[in-house]
Amino acid sequence: MTDIAQIDFRPRAISVVLASDEGQRRIQRRYAAERRFRLYGIGAIGLAIAFLVLMLGTVLSNGMTAFWQTHVRLDITFDKELLDPDGKGDRATLEQADYAALIRAALGREFPDVSGRSDRRDLFELVSGGATFELRRMLLDDPSLLGRTVPVWLTSSDEVDMLIKGVFDRTEPEAARKIKDKQIKWVDALAAKGAVERQFHTTFFTAGDSREPEQAGIWGGFVGSVYTLGLTLLLCLPIGVLAAVYLEEFAPKNRWTDLIEVNINNLAAVPSIVFGLLGLAVFLGFFGLPRSAPLVGGMVLALIVLPTIIIAGRAALKAVPPSIREAALGVGASRQQAVWHHVLPLAMPGVMTGSIIGMAHALGETAPLLMIGMVAFVVDIPTGPTSPATVLPVQVFMWADSPERAFVEKTSAAIIVLLVLLGLMNAAAIYLRKKFERRW
Amino acid sequence: MNDSLVAQSAPAEKMDPGGLLTDRTVKMRTRDVHVFYGPKEALKGIDLDIGDREVTALIGPSGCGKSTYLRCLNRMNDYIEGIRVEGRIELDGRDVYDKSLDVVQLRAQIGMVFQKPNPFPKPIYENVAYGPRIHGLAKNRAELDEIVEGSLRKAALWEEVKDRLDQPGTGLSGGQQQRLCIARAIAVNPEVVLMDEPCSALDPIATAKIEELIDELRANYTIVIVTHSMQQAARVSQRTAFFHLGDLVECGETEQIFTTPREQRTQAYITGRFG
C-alpha cells in the first residue's frame, strides 16, 4: 500500500485561483456565455412565434371575409301568372316554375331604363345563379307568398361580392376587370338605396362544392372527412391497441420481435403518398373497391396512423409501473386479466392521446387521398362510406387551384375550419391527458 | 476483517445447514433449487422446508438470493427474461412446476405482499374485492361485502377505512397501503403468504403494526418473510434461514439462530459485522 502522505499532489487552493485575474476573467466569460445562450433560446422561440403569427394572420385576414357574403335586396313579386299559369297551385308545379323570371322582372322594375338583351343579361348576373333556388325554397316553405310582393335578400354573384369587399380595383381599365363598368354603376345605385348588405354566409357551412364560389361550401368536405376519419379510427384503434398490447406485454423478446419493432418505427416515417399508391394498387386495383370513397380513404389513412398508435400505445404501456402487474399476478390474475383489468386502463390516457394526435395527422393528410381519387369534384353531400366524397384538406387543395378570385378567401376560410378542428382535437388530447394523468 | 470473511465464503467442509424439518407439518418443500439468470447462478441448490402455520424469515445480505428464492415459491419469476429454475418445489407434496398445474391457481393459493406497497389505483373496496371476484369466491354482493370486511379486519385496517371504501387505495398512508395489500392478498384465502421486505418502505410505527399483524396471521396462514432487519426476523419469525451468495448457510429455530449460530458467517452477519 502507498502511504497517502507520500503522494506529491498539491493543487493551488481554490480560493486563490478564483480570486486571481484569470479566475475573474473565466467567471466573466461564463456569465457572457450563459447570457448568449439565453438570447439564442429567446430568439429561436421568437422566430417560431413570428412565423406562427404570420401564418395565422395571413390565413385569418384572407379567410375571415368569406364568412360574410354580399346580398342584394330586391322586391320580388311571386307572380301567379309566371309561376302557376294554369292555376293548379300544387307542389310539383311550384317546384318546376321559372324563378329566374321573377328575378328578371324585379331587376327590370328596379332599373326600368335598362334595355337590350346583353345589358339585361349583365344586369341579371348581379345575383347569384343560386338565387332562383333560394326563391323556390321560400315559396315552397310558405305557399301563401304566391301573388304577393315582398323584399327578399338574395345572394349576390361572386363578382359583386368581390367588388363590395374591395378586392376588385374600380380604377383599373374595364377590360382588366371581371366586372363591367355598368354593373358597378348598378351596384352603386342599389347600395345607395341600402339594398346591398354583407350577411353571415350560412351557405358556406351547409353546401357542398360548387363551381360558383358564392354557392360553394365545406359541408361536403366536412362530412367526407367525418366518414373517412371515423373509418380510420374504427380500423386502427382496435388493431393498433391489440398490436401494442401483444408486442409489449406478451410477445417474447427475440430477433423477430426486434425486427417487427424496427419495421413499425420505419413505417411511421414512410412518405404518405407511398401509402396512397399502395391504396391505389391494392384497394382499388386488386380488390376493386370504389374510387373516391371514404371507405378506401379511411383504409389508407388507417395504414398511415397505425404505426403512430402502436408506438404511442407501447410507450403508454411501458409507463405503467411493473408493480401494478405484479400486484395483479400476486392475487392470482392471469397475465391477460392483469393487462385488461389493470395495465391497459392505466395506459388508456396515453393511448387516447396518441390516437388523437394520429387522427389529427390523418385529418390534414392530402397526398394519399389524391392517389385514390378523392380529389374529384363532388357536389353532393356524401351519404355513406362508399359514396363519392372529398375531404377538407383536399377541398382546400381544389379551391386553391380554382381560377375565380372569390375562391381565394374560400380557400383560407376552409383552412380556418380545418385548423379549428385540429385545435379541437389537440385540445381533447390535452384534456384527456390531464384528466386521467398518472393515478398511482 | 470484512475482506477476510467474504473471501472465506466457501468453506472447505460443507456442513448441513439444517433446512429440513422432521418434527412438524411441512407446507412447502424445496429440494436442490438452482436459479440461473442467463449464465449467472443466483441460487446454488437450496434444500429448505417451510413449516405449516408458522413464520419463516429469510435473511441475508443484498444479492444473496433470498428474494429470488421467495419468488420461486409462487412462480412470480416465470415472466423474467432469461431465467431458469431447476430443482423441485412442492406445495403440500405437489410439484408447483408441474406442467399440468395451473399457475394462476397456484398464485391464488400462495399470496404475495411486495416490498413497495402497490395498491391498484382503484377504490379500497375494489382493491380487496378484485381477487375474490376473478376467482368467483363470492356468489353475490353481500358475500363479497363480507369477504372485503373480513379481510380488512384481519389486516387491522377496517376501522380506519370503513367510511371511505370508495376512495382510491393510493390515497392511504404508506403503512395503510401495505396493510391494504395484505388484506388484498388474504382476501382470496390463500394457504401461504409470501412477504418480500414488506416493511422496508415504512416508518417504525407502521412497521410495528405490520409485525403485530403478521404475528396474528400466523394462526391461519403459513408465512414466509424476507427481511433486512435482524430485529424484525427475531420478533416475528419462528424459524430463520440465512442466505449468503446463493447458498442456504444455516437454518433453524429463530431463537437458536440469533443466540447460538453454528456457522461463523451467520454469527458475523447477525452481529452486524458484514452485510
Side-chain angles (χ1 to χ4, degrees):
Chain A
M1 260 201 196
T2 333
D3 192 342
I4 291 170
Q6 285 173 356
I7 304 172
D8 190 21
F9 174 67
R10 299 216 185 135
R12 287 190 292 162
I14 186 71
S15 56
V16 175
V17 174
L18 291 180
S20 70
D21 284 352
E22 187 204 348
Q24 288 301 315
R25 272 200 304 281
R26 185 174 292 122
I27 291 173
Q28 288 307 321
R29 275 206 303 278
R30 198 183 75 214
Y31 281 157
E34 277 176 23
R35 270 196 302 277
R36 265 201 314 278
F37 173 74
R38 205 169 305 162
L39 275 176
Y40 294 153
I42 292 172
I45 292 173
L47 208 61
I49 291 177
F51 276 122
L52 188 68
V53 168
L54 189 69
M55 185 194 86
L56 288 180
T58 315
V59 168
L60 284 178
S61 68
N62 277 338
M64 285 313 277
T65 51
F67 298 125
W68 281 269
Q69 166 76 27
T70 306
H71 283 66
V72 178
R73 189 188 61 204
L74 291 175
D75 290 322
I76 300 286
T77 305
F78 290 95
D79 197 338
K80 263 186 186 158
E81 291 297 307
L82 278 172
L83 296 173
D84 188 16
D86 303 337
K88 282 190 281 187
D90 62 333
R91 201 178 165 86
T93 316
L94 295 182
E95 270 175 6
Q96 284 162 14
D98 180 11
Y99 291 90
L102 299 187
I103 299 173
R104 269 190 230 106
L107 282 166
R109 283 196 298 278
E110 198 76 40
F111 300 101
D113 48 341
V114 175
S115 57
R117 280 177 68 93
S118 85
D119 274 5
R120 281 173 165 279
R121 196 167 57 235
D122 288 342
L123 183 62
F124 184 60
E125 274 176 7
L126 293 186
V127 295
S128 161
T132 54
F133 302 111
E134 292 168 27
L135 286 179
R136 185 173 73 176
R137 197 165 55 240
M138 264 183 82
L139 187 61
L140 290 176
D141 285 350
D142 181 11
S144 70
L145 285 172
L146 198 60
R148 284 164 54 199
T149 302
V150 283
V152 179
W153 287 100
L154 293 171
T155 308
S156 75
S157 68
D158 56 311
E159 282 88 5
V160 173
D161 189 43
M162 290 292 101
L163 181 77
I164 295 297
K165 284 173 180 166
V167 177
F168 287 161
D169 188 357
R170 289 159 182 264
T171 59
E172 268 183 336
E174 190 176 11
R177 249 191 272 117
K178 289 283 285 178
I179 188 162
K180 292 175 181 150
D181 281 344
K182 52 191 170 194
Q183 287 177 317
I184 294 181
K185 209 175 68 207
W186 294 327
V187 172
D188 287 345
L190 282 171
K193 285 173 36 184
V196 176
E197 198 178 274
R198 282 204 245 172
Q199 296 178 353
F200 188 71
H201 193 34
T202 44
T203 309
F204 182 72
F205 294 100
T206 55
D209 199 6
S210 169
R211 290 287 184 229
E212 299 298 327
E214 76 276 6
Q215 293 175 48
I218 49 150
W219 186 242
F222 179 80
V223 172
S225 273
V226 167
Y227 276 125
T228 309
L229 285 188
L231 249 145
T232 305
L233 191 67
L234 218 61
L235 284 173
C236 67
L237 192 63
I239 298 177
V241 169
L242 284 177
V245 166
Y246 180 76
L247 284 174
E248 196 56 42
E249 301 285 334
F250 297 100
K253 303 273 175 288
N254 57 30
R255 211 176 304 163
W256 289 109
T257 46
D258 282 351
L259 191 73
I260 289 171
E261 184 172 354
V262 167
N263 276 303
I264 288 174
N265 291 341
N266 283 341
L267 271 184
V270 169
S272 57
I273 192 138
V274 176
F275 286 102
L277 280 168
L278 178 100
L280 176 63
V282 177
F283 298 141
L284 299 188
F286 186 73
F287 290 110
L289 292 173
R291 207 164 288 272
S292 313
L295 174 70
V296 183
M299 286 159 78
V300 169
L301 291 183
L303 290 177
I304 296 171
V305 179
L306 206 48
T308 314
I309 292 189
I310 295 178
I311 292 169
R314 291 189 66 174
L317 288 167
K318 209 173 274 182
V320 176
S323 65
I324 295 291
R325 289 178 191 86
E326 288 192 330
L329 296 176
V331 293
S334 68
R335 281 177 92 189
Q336 203 193 333
Q337 285 171 328
V339 169
W340 291 110
H341 295 165
H342 300 287
V343 179
L344 193 58
L346 288 173
M348 224 45 207
V351 175
M352 291 323 289
T353 310
S355 308
I356 293 174
I357 304 267
M359 296 306 290
H361 174 192
L363 174 63
E365 201 58 77
T366 319
L369 301 180
L370 304 185
M371 302 307 299
I372 55 154
M374 289 190 87
V375 71
F377 174 69
V378 181
V379 178
D380 293 331
I381 309 296
T383 53
T386 51
S387 56
T390 185
V391 292
L392 281 175
V394 178
Q395 190 70 75
V396 170
F397 171 78
M398 289 196 295
W399 283 350
D401 229 21
S402 297
E404 286 85 357
R405 181 60 182 76
F407 272 125
V408 173
E409 59 170 25
K410 305 282 173 200
T411 306
S412 290
I415 292 174
I416 292 173
V417 172
L418 190 59
L419 286 178
V420 167
L421 286 178
L422 285 173
L424 286 177
M425 286 174 82
N426 283 324
I430 292 168
Y431 173 77
L432 282 175
R433 194 165 60 222
K434 289 276 171 229
K435 182 154 187 240
F436 300 106
E437 227 161 21
R438 351 186 127 228
R439 290 177 295 176
W440 50 85
Chain B
M1 188 72 189
N2 283 4
D3 293 353
S4 59
L5 248 169
V6 177
Q8 284 175 16
S9 58
E13 84 285 17
K14 193 163 179 173
M15 59 169 272
D16 170 30
L20 308 190
L21 281 174
T22 47
D23 57 341
R24 67 194 95 168
T25 324
V26 173
K27 187 72 185 171
M28 295 197 78
R29 205 184 296 273
T30 59
R31 290 291 177 272
D32 199 28
V33 173
H34 293 261
V35 174
F36 301 87
Y37 292 114
K40 187 176 165 286
E41 190 172 12
L43 284 182
K44 303 169 180 168
I46 307 295
D47 296 316
L48 181 61
D49 287 344
I50 309 291
D52 192 22
R53 283 161 216 255
E54 63 175 12
V55 179
T56 307
L58 311 181
I59 61 170
S62 296
C64 67
K66 56 195 189 301
S67 281
T68 301
Y69 175 78
L70 188 77
R71 294 166 72 94
C72 284
L73 296 180
N74 69 342
R75 293 181 55 181
M76 279 301 272
N77 284 337
D78 278 17
Y79 305 122
I80 295 173
E81 293 287 327
I83 198 170
R84 198 168 88 244
V85 180
E86 286 172 7
R88 192 174 169 83
I89 300 174
E90 288 174 3
L91 172 68
D92 292 327
R94 172 130 200 242
D95 184 4
V96 304
Y97 278 87
D98 186 358
K99 288 262 189 300
S100 66
L101 180 132
D102 179 33
V103 67
V104 169
Q105 276 184 3
L106 175 76
R107 294 213 195 92
Q109 279 173 286
I110 308 178
M112 189 153 188
V113 176
F114 298 86
Q115 183 172 358
K116 209 174 137 249
N118 57 352
F120 299 128
K122 292 186 177 190
I124 293 169
Y125 184 94
E126 293 303 318
N127 263 282
V128 184
Y130 181 65
R133 199 172 271 154
I134 57 173
H135 296 298
L137 294 188
K139 284 193 201 71
N140 50 43
R141 179 78 188 194
E143 271 187 37
L144 195 60
D145 287 349
E146 216 170 278
I147 292 175
V148 170
E149 182 180 340
S151 307
L152 285 169
R153 276 190 194 285
K154 277 192 213 162
L157 192 61
W158 176 252
E159 291 303 323
E160 290 160 61
V161 301
K162 63 180 175 189
D163 299 323
R164 45 174 174 152
L165 291 174
D166 54 342
Q167 285 172 27
T170 35
L172 298 171
S173 75
Q176 288 173 324
Q177 287 190 17
Q178 195 62 299
R179 275 180 283 152
L180 177 61
C181 292
I182 294 176
R184 182 176 64 190
I186 58 183
V188 293
N189 202 16
E191 291 153 34
V192 183
V193 179
L194 308 178
M195 299 189 176
D196 192 355
E197 296 180 47
C199 302
S200 63
L202 303 183
D203 66 48
I205 296 168
T207 302
K209 279 195 172 158
I210 303 274
E211 287 179 2
E212 211 175 295
L213 177 59
I214 292 171
D215 205 46
E216 283 165 22
L217 293 176
R218 155 165 80 93
N220 296 309
Y221 304 98
T222 300
I223 294 172
V224 186
I225 178 171
V226 164
T227 176
H228 269 131
S229 157
M230 241 56 70
Q231 291 84 353
Q232 186 168 66
R235 280 194 299 263
V236 303
S237 74
Q238 282 70 55
R239 277 176 85 230
T240 298
F242 172 57
F243 282 67
H244 189 216
L245 297 174
D247 276 316
L248 175 63
V249 175
E250 183 171 354
C251 180
E253 301 300 316
T254 299
E255 211 183 316
Q256 175 256 314
I257 293 280
F258 281 95
T259 51
T260 54
R262 290 169 291 145
E263 265 266 358
Q264 197 205 345
R265 278 183 291 168
T266 318
Q267 164 98 40
Y269 182 71
I270 61 173
T271 51
R273 268 180 285 160
F274 81 100

